[in-house]
Amino acid sequence: MNRLINLSTRARQIYRDEGFVSLVRRGFAFVCSYFFFYRVYYLFVCDLRNLRQLNEADLLPALQDYSIKIVTTSQEAAQLEANGCDFRSHDPGAFRMLNSGAIAFCIFSGHELASIGWAATTQSAQNAIGEQPYHVDFSNSEAYSGRFWTSPKHRHKGLATHITLILYTYLRNNGTQVGRTMAEIGNDVTMRICTNTGFNVHARGSYLRVFRWKSWRERPLSIEEQESIRQKNEPHR
């Protein structure tokens, strides 16, 4: 019942923010994904010591009067909602991810959730964030991030870049040495964010699921391929 309520809430939000056509398109894709799912990604890695080379002032979002919340438990999320903050309406799986050990990094504009990104420092948390089995060596101080989302009304303001920097600064300060993430091929915004925050593309991953059968393959990229992707997505000065 809770899942149906969460899905209904998410559908209303999509209809309100993006319109009827987007709701139908997303709904159809959601239903189809239960039977067939195929995506290709670029895989990124970052030595978190590189974050120190960034000028944080250059990555501040173009948003006034915002607040940042780092949420580590479902109890903290429930308290945010009790205080009037809109935390999970965009993602029915938010509490499930928190209960699996994932950490949410949020930007709020007033009580409205403007942007969010998720981090995992354990395998169970990574599995909750996304089903793609990108290899992350958690026993060797590595961490994973994914499931980034920005409200349509706040896009193109640098929020996701700012959240990424906050997320990996937090992880670095808590002992993580290497960050890993992925970007679906064709998602130019995510590709630029990864490049702008110090990540290096190193491989291409393909994920296929047909009913319960799953396949994940990673192919290392050549130096020439890596450089071509980096140049295409590096920020213009």
Side-chain angles (χ1 to χ4, degrees), residues 93-233:
F95 274 36
R96 173 182 55 82
M97 289 186 286
L98 289 169
N99 290 333
S100 297
I103 306 170
F105 295 79
C106 313
I107 293 179
F108 285 93
S109 176
H111 288 156
E112 176 192 5
L113 181 63
S115 189
I116 186 171
W118 292 84
T121 57
T122 65
Q123 189 63 59
S124 61
Q126 183 191 5
N127 294 343
I129 291 174
E131 59 182 279
Q132 300 85 349
Y134 179 19
H135 177 68
V136 181
D137 189 356
F138 295 105
S139 64
N140 197 30
S141 300
E142 294 189 359
Y144 173 78
S145 69
R147 217 174 180 112
F148 288 86
W149 175 86
T150 299
S151 169
K153 68 183 288 186
H154 293 301
R155 289 172 186 171
H156 310 295
K157 297 180 180 179
L159 299 186
T161 300
H162 193 54
I163 277 290
T164 300
L165 181 60
I166 292 169
L167 184 155
Y168 277 105
T169 299
Y170 173 93
L171 292 176
R172 183 193 65 197
N173 292 342
N174 283 274
T176 299
Q177 298 178 9
V178 174
R180 294 186 182 272
T181 191
M182 63 175 65
E184 185 177 344
I185 291 180
N187 188 336
D188 294 338
V189 173
T190 301
M191 296 283 290
R192 286 194 296 270
I193 290 170
C194 291
T195 302
N196 199 24
T197 50
F199 279 78
N200 297 308
V201 63
H202 70 96
R204 176 185 174 115
S206 59
Y207 180 70
L208 172 65
R209 173 171 47 78
V210 181
F211 292 97
R212 292 183 177 274
W213 181 83
K214 302 176 182 179
S215 172
W216 171 258
R217 296 182 179 180
E218 296 183 17
R219 179 181 69 82
L221 297 175
S222 68
I223 298 299
E224 292 76 14
E225 289 176 308
Q226 294 178 34
E227 181 63 18
S228 175
I229 295 168
R230 185 192 65 79
Q231 291 182 358
K232 178 182 177 181
N233 293 284

Side-chain angles (χ1 to χ4, degrees), residues 12-38:
R12 288 196 300 270
Q13 184 186 50
I14 293 173
Y15 178 75
R16 182 190 68 220
D17 294 342
E18 303 180 31
F20 177 74
V21 173
S22 179
L23 175 62
V24 172
R25 185 177 65 250
R26 285 171 174 257
F28 180 75
F30 177 77
V31 172
C32 289
S33 69
Y34 276 94
F35 307 101
F36 176 85
F37 186 87
Y38 178 70

